[in-house]
Amino acid sequence: MDGIVLLREDHKTVEKLFKRFEKLADGAFAEKRAIADEVIEELTAHAWIEEQIFYPAAREAAPETSDHVLESVEEHHVVVWMLSELKGADPKDEHFKAKMAVLMENVRHHVEEEEQDWFPVIRKALGRNRLTELGEQMQRAKAEAPRDPLKVPSASK
């Protein structure tokens, strides 16, 4: 699987979790906690493989995307911070749903920029063979990637 396809699959997985969360009744606290925990694990691993593998390769192949890469790393920093707050949050707390809503807005914005503006440029710059190689590397790394946002060193400087 090529690297961009892998990242798009991750995006779809997280979007499905977001939609499930949005459909839950106000009192469905156990389900909200379970979905939030899945979102935390998925996004933490996703951000980690992007920053460790995909972004450096993309930046090297298409130096004109450096600003986008830097912005994406900062967006990840904000998301990981939000995930760390959600990790310890009580779903009965009035801020829990609001935190999830803001997280969803941020992630959806990030995904839209990547998929619409950035991935086509990167696909062209990297080519099929390199994207396949990156995808395989990312799949292997994802199996070992951190799933706890509190254990992810910040890539943001």
Side-chain angles (χ1 to χ4, degrees), residues 13-29:
T13 297
V14 171
E15 182 58 30
K16 286 178 188 175
L17 291 168
F18 287 167
K19 288 184 181 202
R20 280 180 45 209
F21 186 92
E22 289 171 327
K23 289 179 183 176
L24 290 173
D26 285 339
F29 300 120

PDB file of all heavy atoms in Angstrom, residues 13-29:
ATOM      1  N   THR A  13     -10.698   6.095   8.983  1.00  0.00           N
ATOM      2  CA  THR A  13     -10.938   5.410  10.259  1.00  0.00           C
ATOM      3  C   THR A  13     -11.322   6.412  11.339  1.00  0.00           C
ATOM      4  O   THR A  13     -12.289   6.217  12.076  1.00  0.00           O
ATOM      5  CB  THR A  13      -9.683   4.617  10.692  1.00  0.00           C
ATOM      6  OG1 THR A  13      -9.436   3.606   9.711  1.00  0.00           O
ATOM      7  CG2 THR A  13      -9.848   3.992  12.067  1.00  0.00           C
ATOM      8  N   VAL A  14     -10.576   7.485  11.425  1.00  0.00           N
ATOM      9  CA  VAL A  14     -10.834   8.498  12.445  1.00  0.00           C
ATOM     10  C   VAL A  14     -12.150   9.226  12.172  1.00  0.00           C
ATOM     11  O   VAL A  14     -12.922   9.487  13.093  1.00  0.00           O
ATOM     12  CB  VAL A  14      -9.643   9.478  12.566  1.00  0.00           C
ATOM     13  CG1 VAL A  14      -9.976  10.658  13.447  1.00  0.00           C
ATOM     14  CG2 VAL A  14      -8.419   8.744  13.104  1.00  0.00           C
ATOM     15  N   GLU A  15     -12.431   9.512  10.931  1.00  0.00           N
ATOM     16  CA  GLU A  15     -13.694  10.182  10.595  1.00  0.00           C
ATOM     17  C   GLU A  15     -14.887   9.314  10.989  1.00  0.00           C
ATOM     18  O   GLU A  15     -15.893   9.818  11.500  1.00  0.00           O
ATOM     19  CB  GLU A  15     -13.747  10.536   9.107  1.00  0.00           C
ATOM     20  CG  GLU A  15     -15.010  11.268   8.684  1.00  0.00           C
ATOM     21  CD  GLU A  15     -15.275  12.583   9.407  1.00  0.00           C
ATOM     22  OE1 GLU A  15     -14.316  13.276   9.825  1.00  0.00           O
ATOM     23  OE2 GLU A  15     -16.464  12.930   9.575  1.00  0.00           O
ATOM     24  N   LYS A  16     -14.795   8.005  10.775  1.00  0.00           N
ATOM     25  CA  LYS A  16     -15.878   7.101  11.197  1.00  0.00           C
ATOM     26  C   LYS A  16     -16.072   7.152  12.709  1.00  0.00           C
ATOM     27  O   LYS A  16     -17.207   7.146  13.200  1.00  0.00           O
ATOM     28  CB  LYS A  16     -15.579   5.672  10.750  1.00  0.00           C
ATOM     29  CG  LYS A  16     -15.774   5.446   9.278  1.00  0.00           C
ATOM     30  CD  LYS A  16     -15.411   4.024   8.890  1.00  0.00           C
ATOM     31  CE  LYS A  16     -15.435   3.870   7.385  1.00  0.00           C
ATOM     32  NZ  LYS A  16     -14.967   2.546   6.962  1.00  0.00           N
ATOM     33  N   LEU A  17     -14.968   7.212  13.445  1.00  0.00           N
ATOM     34  CA  LEU A  17     -15.064   7.327  14.909  1.00  0.00           C
ATOM     35  C   LEU A  17     -15.716   8.650  15.298  1.00  0.00           C
ATOM     36  O   LEU A  17     -16.567   8.687  16.193  1.00  0.00           O
ATOM     37  CB  LEU A  17     -13.675   7.203  15.549  1.00  0.00           C
ATOM     38  CG  LEU A  17     -13.032   5.822  15.464  1.00  0.00           C
ATOM     39  CD1 LEU A  17     -11.552   5.883  15.853  1.00  0.00           C
ATOM     40  CD2 LEU A  17     -13.780   4.829  16.349  1.00  0.00           C
ATOM     41  N   PHE A  18     -15.333   9.726  14.630  1.00  0.00           N
ATOM     42  CA  PHE A  18     -15.943  11.033  14.908  1.00  0.00           C
ATOM     43  C   PHE A  18     -17.451  10.983  14.683  1.00  0.00           C
ATOM     44  O   PHE A  18     -18.232  11.487  15.499  1.00  0.00           O
ATOM     45  CB  PHE A  18     -15.348  12.120  14.009  1.00  0.00           C
ATOM     46  CG  PHE A  18     -13.936  12.535  14.352  1.00  0.00           C
ATOM     47  CD1 PHE A  18     -13.214  13.300  13.446  1.00  0.00           C
ATOM     48  CD2 PHE A  18     -13.320  12.186  15.539  1.00  0.00           C
ATOM     49  CE1 PHE A  18     -11.924  13.721  13.731  1.00  0.00           C
ATOM     50  CE2 PHE A  18     -12.022  12.596  15.833  1.00  0.00           C
ATOM     51  CZ  PHE A  18     -11.330  13.366  14.923  1.00  0.00           C
ATOM     52  N   LYS A  19     -17.870  10.379  13.588  1.00  0.00           N
ATOM     53  CA  LYS A  19     -19.306  10.316  13.270  1.00  0.00           C
ATOM     54  C   LYS A  19     -20.053   9.468  14.293  1.00  0.00           C
ATOM     55  O   LYS A  19     -21.168   9.818  14.680  1.00  0.00           O
ATOM     56  CB  LYS A  19     -19.514   9.803  11.851  1.00  0.00           C
ATOM     57  CG  LYS A  19     -19.124  10.844  10.828  1.00  0.00           C
ATOM     58  CD  LYS A  19     -19.396  10.421   9.410  1.00  0.00           C
ATOM     59  CE  LYS A  19     -18.929  11.577   8.531  1.00  0.00           C
ATOM     60  NZ  LYS A  19     -19.497  11.626   7.264  1.00  0.00           N
ATOM     61  N   ARG A  20     -19.432   8.381  14.725  1.00  0.00           N
ATOM     62  CA  ARG A  20     -20.061   7.570  15.778  1.00  0.00           C
ATOM     63  C   ARG A  20     -20.220   8.382  17.050  1.00  0.00           C
ATOM     64  O   ARG A  20     -21.257   8.334  17.701  1.00  0.00           O
ATOM     65  CB  ARG A  20     -19.214   6.318  16.067  1.00  0.00           C
ATOM     66  CG  ARG A  20     -19.409   5.210  15.073  1.00  0.00           C
ATOM     67  CD  ARG A  20     -18.575   3.975  15.346  1.00  0.00           C
ATOM     68  NE  ARG A  20     -18.562   3.559  16.733  1.00  0.00           N
ATOM     69  CZ  ARG A  20     -17.542   2.924  17.305  1.00  0.00           C
ATOM     70  NH1 ARG A  20     -16.450   2.634  16.634  1.00  0.00           N
ATOM     71  NH2 ARG A  20     -17.604   2.571  18.571  1.00  0.00           N
ATOM     72  N   PHE A  21     -19.182   9.148  17.404  1.00  0.00           N
ATOM     73  CA  PHE A  21     -19.232   9.987  18.600  1.00  0.00           C
ATOM     74  C   PHE A  21     -20.358  11.007  18.485  1.00  0.00           C
ATOM     75  O   PHE A  21     -21.121  11.218  19.427  1.00  0.00           O
ATOM     76  CB  PHE A  21     -17.885  10.683  18.817  1.00  0.00           C
ATOM     77  CG  PHE A  21     -17.806  11.443  20.106  1.00  0.00           C
ATOM     78  CD1 PHE A  21     -17.321  10.838  21.254  1.00  0.00           C
ATOM     79  CD2 PHE A  21     -18.212  12.775  20.190  1.00  0.00           C
ATOM     80  CE1 PHE A  21     -17.251  11.529  22.457  1.00  0.00           C
ATOM     81  CE2 PHE A  21     -18.145  13.476  21.387  1.00  0.00           C
ATOM     82  CZ  PHE A  21     -17.663  12.848  22.526  1.00  0.00           C
ATOM     83  N   GLU A  22     -20.457  11.658  17.341  1.00  0.00           N
ATOM     84  CA  GLU A  22     -21.455  12.710  17.141  1.00  0.00           C
ATOM     85  C   GLU A  22     -22.892  12.180  17.225  1.00  0.00           C
ATOM     86  O   GLU A  22     -23.800  12.929  17.579  1.00  0.00           O
ATOM     87  CB  GLU A  22     -21.243  13.389  15.782  1.00  0.00           C
ATOM     88  CG  GLU A  22     -19.995  14.244  15.752  1.00  0.00           C
ATOM     89  CD  GLU A  22     -19.632  14.756  14.375  1.00  0.00           C
ATOM     90  OE1 GLU A  22     -19.878  14.043  13.371  1.00  0.00           O
ATOM     91  OE2 GLU A  22     -19.087  15.869  14.297  1.00  0.00           O
ATOM     92  N   LYS A  23     -23.088  10.906  16.926  1.00  0.00           N
ATOM     93  CA  LYS A  23     -24.436  10.319  16.945  1.00  0.00           C
ATOM     94  C   LYS A  23     -24.871   9.864  18.335  1.00  0.00           C
ATOM     95  O   LYS A  23     -26.045   9.565  18.539  1.00  0.00           O
ATOM     96  CB  LYS A  23     -24.500   9.131  15.988  1.00  0.00           C
ATOM     97  CG  LYS A  23     -24.455   9.526  14.543  1.00  0.00           C
ATOM     98  CD  LYS A  23     -24.492   8.306  13.643  1.00  0.00           C
ATOM     99  CE  LYS A  23     -24.376   8.727  12.190  1.00  0.00           C
ATOM    100  NZ  LYS A  23     -24.323   7.566  11.306  1.00  0.00           N
ATOM    101  N   LEU A  24     -23.945   9.813  19.279  1.00  0.00           N
ATOM    102  CA  LEU A  24     -24.280   9.304  20.608  1.00  0.00           C
ATOM    103  C   LEU A  24     -25.181  10.260  21.382  1.00  0.00           C
ATOM    104  O   LEU A  24     -25.049  11.483  21.266  1.00  0.00           O
ATOM    105  CB  LEU A  24     -23.005   9.061  21.422  1.00  0.00           C
ATOM    106  CG  LEU A  24     -22.133   7.901  20.957  1.00  0.00           C
ATOM    107  CD1 LEU A  24     -20.819   7.883  21.743  1.00  0.00           C
ATOM    108  CD2 LEU A  24     -22.858   6.568  21.105  1.00  0.00           C
ATOM    109  N   ALA A  25     -26.043   9.679  22.181  1.00  0.00           N
ATOM    110  CA  ALA A  25     -26.909  10.467  23.061  1.00  0.00           C
ATOM    111  C   ALA A  25     -26.055  11.124  24.145  1.00  0.00           C
ATOM    112  O   ALA A  25     -24.960  10.646  24.465  1.00  0.00           O
ATOM    113  CB  ALA A  25     -27.965   9.563  23.698  1.00  0.00           C
ATOM    114  N   ASP A  26     -26.565  12.193  24.716  1.00  0.00           N
ATOM    115  CA  ASP A  26     -25.821  12.938  25.737  1.00  0.00           C
ATOM    116  C   ASP A  26     -25.379  12.076  26.917  1.00  0.00           C
ATOM    117  O   ASP A  26     -24.321  12.292  27.470  1.00  0.00           O
ATOM    118  CB  ASP A  26     -26.635  14.131  26.237  1.00  0.00           C
ATOM    119  CG  ASP A  26     -26.648  15.271  25.227  1.00  0.00           C
ATOM    120  OD1 ASP A  26     -25.749  15.327  24.365  1.00  0.00           O
ATOM    121  OD2 ASP A  26     -27.560  16.106  25.324  1.00  0.00           O
ATOM    122  N   GLY A  27     -26.176  11.087  27.286  1.00  0.00           N
ATOM    123  CA  GLY A  27     -25.852  10.278  28.457  1.00  0.00           C
ATOM    124  C   GLY A  27     -25.011   9.044  28.180  1.00  0.00           C
ATOM    125  O   GLY A  27     -24.729   8.273  29.093  1.00  0.00           O
ATOM    126  N   ALA A  28     -24.573   8.848  26.952  1.00  0.00           N
ATOM    127  CA  ALA A  28     -23.829   7.639  26.576  1.00  0.00           C
ATOM    128  C   ALA A  28     -22.351   7.772  26.961  1.00  0.00           C
ATOM    129  O   ALA A  28     -21.457   7.723  26.115  1.00  0.00           O
ATOM    130  CB  ALA A  28     -23.987   7.382  25.084  1.00  0.00           C
ATOM    131  N   PHE A  29     -22.100   7.909  28.249  1.00  0.00           N
ATOM    132  CA  PHE A  29     -20.751   8.219  28.722  1.00  0.00           C
ATOM    133  C   PHE A  29     -19.739   7.110  28.468  1.00  0.00           C
ATOM    134  O   PHE A  29     -18.599   7.380  28.082  1.00  0.00           O
ATOM    135  CB  PHE A  29     -20.783   8.586  30.209  1.00  0.00           C
ATOM    136  CG  PHE A  29     -21.644   9.790  30.487  1.00  0.00           C
ATOM    137  CD1 PHE A  29     -22.741   9.688  31.327  1.00  0.00           C
ATOM    138  CD2 PHE A  29     -21.375  11.016  29.897  1.00  0.00           C
ATOM    139  CE1 PHE A  29     -23.551  10.787  31.585  1.00  0.00           C
ATOM    140  CE2 PHE A  29     -22.172  12.127  30.145  1.00  0.00           C
ATOM    141  CZ  PHE A  29     -23.271  12.012  30.992  1.00  0.00           C
TER     142      PHE A  29
END
